[in-house]
Amino acid sequence: MNFKKEYQQIIRPLFKASPVIIGLIVIAVVVMHRAVSYMTPEYRALGMIKINNLSYSQAAFNLFGKEEGALPKQNENFLTEVEVFKSRDLIKKALKNLNWELTIFRVGKLRHVEIYEESPFTIDYQAVTEAGIDKTQFFDFLGDNKFRIRTGGEKDSTGITVALGDSVRMPGITFSIHFREEFLKEKPNSLLPGDRFAFTVNSLESLANMCAGEKLFVNPVEKDISIIKIFFNHELPEKAQAFVNELMKTYIEEGRMSKVEQADETLTYLDRQLEDVGSKLQSAEVGLSKYRSSNQLLSTDLETDATLRELTQLDLRKVDLEMKYGELERLHNYLISGNKLSDFSPNYEALQDPIFRESYLKAQAYESERKDLLQKYTAQNPAVTNLDEKMRETRSFLNESVTSTISNLAVRRGEVDANIDDVSSRIKRYPEKERQLIVFEREVSLNENIYNFLMKKRTELAIGKTSDLSPHKIIEYAERPKGLVAPNKSLLYGLAVLLSLMAGMFYAYLRSFFKEKINAKEELEVLPAPLLGIVYKRDNHQKGSFQLVSGLMAALEKLPSVEKRGQGKLIVATSMVPGEGKSFIATEMAKAYAATGKRVLVVDMDIRKPTLHLNFGLSNNIGFCDILEGRIYALNAIQHTDSEKLFVLNAGQLRSNNYALLFSRRSLDFIYDFRWHFDVVIVDTPPVSVFEDSLPIMNESSVNLFVLRAGFTKQRMLGATADLMKQTDIPNLHLVLNGVKTSSKVPGYVKYLKKYYGEDAVATA
């Protein structure tokens, strides 16, 4: 495909529709500019926190660990903490610290803009009931320290007028308005008569709804790196910054408080155990002292000491197992109670199972997520029921894990009891006094070791409780954002331009499809017939009509002759639709042939809408139809013209309405006979897409001219024309492009023509 053809098919439609395309782009940009000005802006703040940062954490206190203690482990599945940051419980706690209960708006024509640090006044409110919560109060500044309260809502244009500082009673709330004097001194134009404002006392639940969901993004940096990024979008940059920082601080504080609560529970338990063991130790020491004094016993042999130490170790193991057993029983009872897991903090070290900790945190996250879903859906919603099923499976796993651990502890405790019975039986074989002494010493040693063990753990927990160090660390505090994250003006303007450009191109090609006309011969290459010649449009530069068809006649003369000796040439002119100039070309060719000295007959077979007689100034009283119906002889129907060699057979009038006569052999015989009396017979026929009267004679013709008109024939008609040509398979068919501008012959054609003829001659031609 050459460039000119590409231009015709691709570039030309766009060029013609360029004013529309440019107009659409301008309109789209203006509309988008207006739309962007009314969109609520959003700023995004970013903070980062590292989870379980061991470099800054205090060593964990394992009540049930080994004597030397256990090193803390990095949380391998910190992704659970991502859900904790999204939980409504943590969000609500952060909002409590931020004190965003009151929201003040500046009311515009299309939207409300929140003002925070830019508020020119403060609002003191009290006596807030449920009727006043989450309800927006509207008021106008009238000037002279007066306000109009719109008691009937935003559309109320009357309301009540109050002075600055007056107490206003509304359903569910009492409030008063006071100026921020220092702020108004700096920005006096922030409060002008006629300005409209509103305020809302928000519930914690509504604030959580505004801050959760799409505005809050919590993402880990990488799966293997325990760093979490927190993004928050808000229309005020200062609030976006404050929320991110407060959320991270609240998370750290909640972790610290959870550690303190667990330590308090454990310390309470240890204090009770120490009190009990201390009493037992004191009683054992008194009993041992009395027994030795009364029996004058000072020591036992080495075998007795070894047995005593063995029995003491077994007793310590038994106490350890019983403490674990008691903690697990408490956890098991809570699990089977069906209460919320978020309200209970188990001692994870009692299980010594990292999978249990992960599952327990996941169950807590499920409960928080379910609470969020119930804000939007009912309990029967598939999303809620699916989450309920996950919660049941997780609780079932936790219950099985605890039950299995309790069973294992029971078995181990039975083994320890059996060992204690065995050692005790050996002691019974000692002499009575020594055996009794061993019993007293064992009691003292056992209680002393237990007391020391519990005291050590209590000291460790007390130290840990007083420590302010957290296992987490904020590594990047949120800064006040400077640029907008939404709306993305570049993207929106680009999208507006793109859509308007696409719409303009769609219009251009649609217009081209329905309205674009052919203008160049290259556009006719899609048709199965060759182009024979071009007929130029008449203009002031032409010297006579012969120049219009001279090129076409020259091309006709080059065609091989198919006529019999002495027989005239038969030329049939037709077109696809009316108005393409077939009658004009037939007329001009007839005049040109007659001017060369040939006898020419022009036949008008377009009997439904004859126009050929008008071109020669003749009447249409008699003609071809009269010959077919036998009312006149053929030669008598032929009319003379001003030219000696040019004759016309008009269409006449078909009185019988028997159009089948045009398809009869009689019609063809008349045309055949005319060819023996004239050198050239030119037949003007009706458009083939409307009537197919011309098909029989075109099959007998020397040359068939299919006329298309530049600037008139629509390009979308070319496909139908090609299909018709292939279907009818007309022989000797050639294309003629009519109405081409003479300026398209060669570049500078008019200039060369003027130079050849002279300016005056061309102008008056």
Side-chain angles (χ1 to χ4, degrees):
M1 183 181 289
N2 55 37
F3 175 77
K4 190 169 184 179
K5 193 170 183 179
E6 289 181 356
Y7 170 78
Q8 294 288 342
Q9 295 183 355
I10 301 176
I11 302 177
R12 184 182 179 90
L14 297 178
F15 179 77
K16 284 189 172 183
S18 58
V20 176
I21 296 175
I22 295 173
L24 287 175
I25 293 175
V26 172
I27 293 172
V29 171
V30 172
V31 171
M32 184 57 68
H33 177 73
R34 191 69 178 269
V36 167
S37 65
Y38 289 125
M39 291 181 182
T40 301
E42 284 192 1
Y43 297 85
R44 174 175 293 179
L46 165 64
M48 289 196 293
I49 183 171
K50 186 173 183 181
I51 306 299
N52 289 350
N53 189 340
L54 300 182
S55 301
Y56 295 89
S57 65
Q58 183 73 7
F61 302 103
N62 187 357
L63 179 61
F64 305 104
K66 296 181 180 180
E67 184 67 21
E68 64 273 14
L71 292 175
K73 295 182 179 180
Q74 178 79 6
N75 184 2
E76 296 176 355
N77 191 4
F78 79 99
L79 297 179
T80 307
E81 304 303 313
V82 173
E83 300 303 321
V84 175
F85 276 101
K86 297 179 182 178
S87 66
R88 297 178 67 85
D89 182 63
L90 185 65
I91 291 173
K92 287 181 180 180
K93 290 177 180 178
L95 289 171
K96 285 181 181 179
N97 298 331
L98 287 171
N99 191 25
W100 285 357
E101 187 178 56
L102 179 67
T103 306
I104 303 176
F105 303 96
R106 184 181 292 275
V107 179
K109 293 182 179 179
L110 295 180
R111 66 184 181 94
H112 301 170
V113 179
E114 181 180 352
I115 51 178
Y116 183 52
E117 296 177 351
E118 298 297 317
S119 175
F121 47 78
T122 60
I123 296 177
D124 295 335
Y125 58 92
Q126 57 273 345
V128 182
T129 64
E130 186 175 350
I133 292 293
D134 295 330
K135 183 177 180 181
T136 304
Q137 308 290 342
F138 294 90
F139 58 93
D140 304 338
F141 179 61
L142 304 178
D144 296 329
N145 297 340
K146 292 184 179 181
F147 294 87
R148 180 173 66 237
I149 310 299
R150 295 175 178 259
T151 55
E154 184 178 5
K155 302 299 182 181
D156 183 11
S157 59
T158 57
I160 59 174
T161 302
V162 299
L164 184 69
D166 286 354
S167 181
V168 182
R169 291 182 178 273
M170 297 290 288
I173 186 173
T174 301
F175 65 91
S176 59
I177 305 174
H178 305 274
F179 285 155
R180 293 175 60 191
E181 300 293 347
E182 295 297 328
F183 179 83
L184 288 173
K185 288 180 181 178
E186 296 179 3
K187 299 181 179 180
N189 292 329
S190 62
L191 185 63
L192 299 173
D195 288 351
R196 300 176 59 191
F197 300 93
F199 75 90
T200 303
V201 178
N202 304 288
S203 65
L204 189 60
E205 194 67 32
S206 65
L207 285 175
N209 291 336
M210 289 187 288
C211 295
E214 298 179 354
K215 292 194 173 187
L216 179 63
F217 307 90
V218 183
N219 294 315
V221 174
E222 288 186 15
K223 184 178 180 180
D224 299 329
I225 301 177
S226 57
I227 296 178
I228 294 177
K229 286 185 175 181
I230 302 173
F231 303 88
F232 180 68
N233 292 357
H234 199 277
E235 63 179 287
L236 297 178
E238 55 269 25
K239 279 197 171 184
Q241 175 193 20
F243 181 78
V244 171
N245 290 334
E246 190 59 40
L247 189 66
M248 294 189 293
K249 292 177 183 178
T250 303
Y251 175 80
I252 292 176
E253 181 63 20
E254 284 297 302
R256 191 186 67 80
M257 291 301 297
S258 177
K259 183 184 74 172
V260 171
E261 290 175 2
Q262 292 183 22
D264 287 339
E265 291 180 5
T266 307
L267 285 173
T268 302
Y269 173 79
L270 288 175
D271 288 339
R272 290 197 303 267
Q273 295 297 320
L274 284 169
E275 184 178 356
D276 182 55
V277 173
S279 299
K280 292 180 180 180
L281 177 59
Q282 185 177 6
S283 299
E285 289 176 344
V286 171
L288 177 61
S289 178
K290 289 181 178 179
Y291 185 79
R292 282 184 172 177
S293 298
S294 61
N295 293 279
Q296 298 182 352
L297 296 174
L298 299 177
S299 63
T300 60
D301 56 14
L302 295 176
E303 181 180 358
T304 303
D305 291 340
T307 304
L308 180 61
R309 284 196 298 273
E310 182 181 357
L311 188 59
T312 300
Q313 292 297 324
L314 290 173
D315 287 335
L316 285 173
R317 289 181 59 190
K318 181 178 180 180
V319 171
D320 183 38
L321 291 174
E322 288 178 347
M323 292 174 64
K324 289 182 179 180
Y325 192 89
E327 177 67 16
L328 292 174
E329 281 286 348
R330 183 175 74 94
L331 178 57
H332 180 260
N333 292 334
Y334 191 85
L335 285 173
I336 63 177
S337 68
N339 294 328
K340 294 182 179 179
L341 299 182
S342 57
D343 298 334
F344 183 80
S345 297
N347 196 322
Y348 301 109
E349 289 80 1
L351 289 176
Q352 298 181 345
D353 186 358
I355 299 179
F356 175 82
R357 173 182 172 85
E358 178 184 344
S359 300
Y360 195 89
L361 291 175
K362 186 182 294 183
Q364 288 180 324
Y366 285 157
E367 288 184 353
S368 177
E369 185 177 353
R370 184 180 188 275
K371 186 176 180 181
D372 292 342
L373 288 176
L374 288 177
Q375 300 295 324
K376 302 179 181 178
Y377 311 111
T378 62
Q380 290 74 31
N381 188 274
V384 179
T385 56
N386 183 42
L387 193 60
D388 289 340
E389 181 63 24
K390 291 182 180 179
M391 291 172 60
R392 282 194 293 270
E393 293 176 357
T394 306
R395 290 184 73 107
S396 176
F397 168 77
L398 294 174
N399 189 41
E400 291 177 3
S401 179
V402 173
T403 303
S404 175
T405 307
I406 290 176
S407 300
N408 293 334
L409 288 177
V411 173
R412 291 169 60 190
R413 189 171 62 177
E415 293 175 353
V416 172
D417 288 339
N419 291 334
I420 290 175
D421 292 341
D422 180 63
V423 175
S424 298
S425 64
R426 295 203 311 266
I427 294 177
K428 291 180 180 179
R429 295 195 297 267
Y430 295 159
E432 182 61 25
K433 288 185 179 181
E434 292 185 356
R435 185 179 64 81
Q436 190 64 33
L437 180 61
I438 291 173
V439 171
F440 279 113
E441 290 179 345
R442 181 175 66 84
E443 289 291 330
V444 172
S445 177
L446 172 63
N447 287 289
E448 183 178 7
N449 289 332
I450 293 175
Y451 189 87
N452 291 336
F453 172 77
L454 294 175
M455 183 58 71
K456 177 182 177 182
K457 293 300 179 183
R458 190 190 187 287
T459 303
E460 291 175 349
L461 284 171
I463 295 173
K465 178 183 176 182
T466 58
S467 174
D468 289 332
L469 294 178
S470 171
H472 318 298
K473 179 178 175 60
I474 299 175
I475 60 176
E476 182 177 327
Y477 283 91
E479 296 181 355
R480 181 169 296 190
K482 298 179 180 178
L484 288 173
V485 68
N488 190 332
K489 294 184 179 180
S490 300
L491 177 63
L492 292 176
Y493 283 127
L495 185 62
V497 171
L498 177 62
L499 292 178
S500 60
L501 182 61
M502 292 175 63
M505 293 175 65
F506 177 77
Y507 164 78
Y509 290 118
L510 192 66
R511 177 181 177 276
S512 174
F513 178 76
F514 287 104
K515 293 187 176 182
E516 189 69 16
K517 314 296 191 305
I518 61 172
N519 289 280
K521 61 183 181 180
E522 289 80 8
E523 299 176 55
L524 304 181
E525 293 178 359
V526 297
L527 299 178
L531 178 66
L532 182 63
I534 294 176
V535 176
Y536 292 97
K537 185 177 181 181
R538 188 189 300 273
D539 56 29
N540 294 332
H541 305 139
Q542 298 292 340
K543 292 289 186 176
S545 62
F546 176 76
Q547 295 184 22
L548 300 177
V549 295
S550 59
L552 177 60
M553 292 183 61
L556 283 170
E557 294 300 319
K558 291 181 181 179
L559 294 177
S561 177
V562 295
E563 298 83 17
K564 296 179 181 179
R565 184 180 180 86
Q567 188 181 38
K569 182 188 293 291
L570 176 60
I571 301 174
V572 177
T574 189
S575 63
M576 189 69 173
V577 294
E580 293 186 288
K582 57 182 179 53
S583 299
F584 167 76
I585 289 177
T587 301
E588 296 301 325
M589 287 181 59
K591 292 179 180 180
Y593 272 119
T596 62
K598 293 184 178 182
R599 285 173 55 84
V600 181
L601 173 64
V602 184
V603 181
D604 190 353
M605 287 187 66
D606 191 357
I607 62 178
R608 295 174 182 81
K609 190 178 180 181
T611 59
L612 196 63
H613 63 281
L614 300 176
N615 295 342
F616 294 97
L618 302 175
S619 65
N620 193 34
N621 294 330
I622 57 174
F624 192 63
C625 292
D626 299 279
I627 297 174
L628 293 178
E629 291 180 334
R631 290 191 299 273
I632 192 171
Y633 291 107
L635 294 178
N636 293 335
I638 296 175
Q639 301 184 47
H640 294 271
T641 65
D642 296 337
S643 175
E644 181 182 355
K645 300 289 185 178
L646 179 58
F647 303 87
V648 178
L649 178 59
N650 292 320
Q653 299 182 14
L654 189 66
R655 299 176 183 177
S656 64
N657 290 328
N658 183 13
Y659 294 100
L661 292 173
L662 295 173
F663 286 87
S664 66
R665 189 64 212 179
R666 178 181 174 85
S667 173
L668 296 177
D669 288 343
F670 279 124
I671 300 298
Y672 185 81
D673 289 340
F674 290 150
R675 297 178 67 180
W676 295 103
H677 295 84
F678 298 94
D679 297 322
V680 179
V681 177
I682 301 175
V683 181
D684 181 19
T685 63
V688 292
S689 66
V690 183
F691 304 103
E692 297 181 351
D693 301 349
S694 58
L695 293 181
I697 194 172
M698 293 179 76
N699 289 321
E700 303 291 336
S701 174
S702 303
V703 180
N704 293 301
L705 301 180
F706 197 97
V707 180
L708 301 100
R709 182 178 170 187
F712 177 84
T713 304
K714 296 180 179 179
Q715 287 187 349
R716 64 188 180 94
M717 190 63 69
L718 295 180
T721 303
D723 293 338
L724 179 65
M725 290 179 176
K726 293 177 182 178
Q727 181 180 355
T728 55
D729 193 22
I730 301 171
N732 304 320
L733 185 65
H734 297 272
L735 303 177
V736 176
L737 183 58
N738 180 33
V740 178
K741 294 181 179 180
T742 55
S743 59
S744 64
K745 282 186 176 182
V746 293
Y749 169 77
V750 176
K751 181 181 69 174
Y752 297 137
L753 191 66
K754 290 180 178 180
K755 184 177 181 180
Y756 188 82
Y757 284 110
E759 292 285 345
D760 297 336
V762 172
T764 58

